[in-house]
């Protein structure tokens, strides 16, 4: 079964809610998907993944520094050529998801659209959008598998 690993950094749970909904969407398409906080994620989890979704909220016009460090470690996890997705909650400027996507492209990952940004706490409609992204990731993995 193709595997999706979703790693998030979330200070008050907004980006985490997005991560959980992305996993729900992927699981509904029979993908082995799991969400984990960035400090729980091990390089082995990433190595065995076929797709990696990364989420961070925006703080001071960028992603949170631990997520930046985490992405740098991705290049050691054979991420090149894998599918990637970027997402995050934001308040007013929302740079983090775009920056994550950019870093993923630099590593050589194939970034799936849309780069998903939700303002503050996701509504039910926002969570549906997150689920849709999870389903889209699943469909892409199945097609390429
Ligand atoms: C100290 C601080 C700085 C912030 N800086 C930004 C910012 O530069 N741009 C932005 O869009 N949102 C900013 N935000 C808003 C957060 O991104 C927003 O509250 C988000 O929903 C938090 O999601 P999380 O619970 O997943 O961390 C900031 C929030 C705080 C508390």
């Amino acid at each position: 079964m193709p595997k999706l690993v979703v790693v998030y950094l979330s200070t008050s749970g907004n980006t985490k809610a997005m991560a959980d909904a992305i996993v729900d969407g992927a699981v509904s398409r029979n993908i082995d998907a799991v969400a984990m906080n960035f400090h729980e994620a091990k390089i082995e989890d990433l190595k065995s993944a076929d797709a990696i979704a990364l989420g961070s909220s925006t703080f001071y016009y960028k992603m949170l520094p631990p997520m930046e460090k985490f992405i740098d470690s991705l290049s050691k996890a054979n991420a090149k050529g894998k599918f990637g997705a970027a997402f995050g909650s934001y308040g007013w400027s929302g740079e983090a998801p775009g920056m994550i996507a950019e870093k993923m492209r630099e590593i050589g990952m194939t970034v799936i659209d849309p780069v998903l940004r939700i303002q503050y706490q996701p509504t039910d409609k926002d969570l549906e959008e997150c689920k849709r992204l999870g389903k889209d990731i699943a469909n892409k993995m199945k097609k390429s598998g």
Side-chain angles (χ1 to χ4, degrees):
M1 208 188 268
K3 184 177 165 193
L4 165 67
V5 173
V6 182
V7 181
Y8 60 84
L9 201 175
S10 182
T11 62
S12 67
N14 294 340
T15 303
K16 179 187 188 300
M18 294 179 73
D20 290 339
I22 291 168
V23 164
D24 284 351
V27 167
S28 77
R29 289 286 190 271
N30 297 316
I31 292 288
D32 173 9
V34 60
M36 53 183 90
N37 204 313
F38 75 97
H39 57 69
E40 303 170 319
K42 306 257 179 325
I43 208 112
E44 292 74 41
D45 297 318
L46 302 172
K47 275 188 180 162
S48 63
D50 303 288
I52 299 167
L54 297 181
S56 170
S57 43
T58 299
F59 272 67
Y60 303 110
Y61 309 102
K62 44 195 253 189
M63 75 178 98
L64 288 155
M67 182 52 87
E68 229 165 320
K69 270 200 184 156
F70 184 83
I71 296 183
D72 290 338
S73 72
L74 264 189
S75 44
K76 291 183 218 121
N78 305 334
K80 191 175 176 178
K82 290 183 180 179
F83 286 116
F87 63 96
S89 171
Y90 71 103
W92 49 91
S93 58
E95 288 87 350
M99 291 169 78
I100 292 171
E102 195 50 46
K103 289 227 173 205
M104 285 177 153
R105 289 188 197 101
E106 278 170 27
I107 293 168
M109 298 178 75
T110 303
V111 178
I112 295 169
D113 285 329
V115 171
L116 195 55
R117 308 187 315 159
I118 299 293
Q119 205 170 13
Y120 294 115
Q121 189 177 3
T123 62
D124 286 349
K125 189 165 164 278
D126 294 331
L127 292 174
E128 284 305 316
E129 239 185 287
C130 297
K131 280 188 196 169
R132 162 55 47 203
L133 178 60
K135 288 176 187 175
D136 286 349
I137 298 168
N139 291 340
K140 293 247 197 273
M141 290 163 82
K142 285 182 182 175
K143 268 191 202 156
S144 79

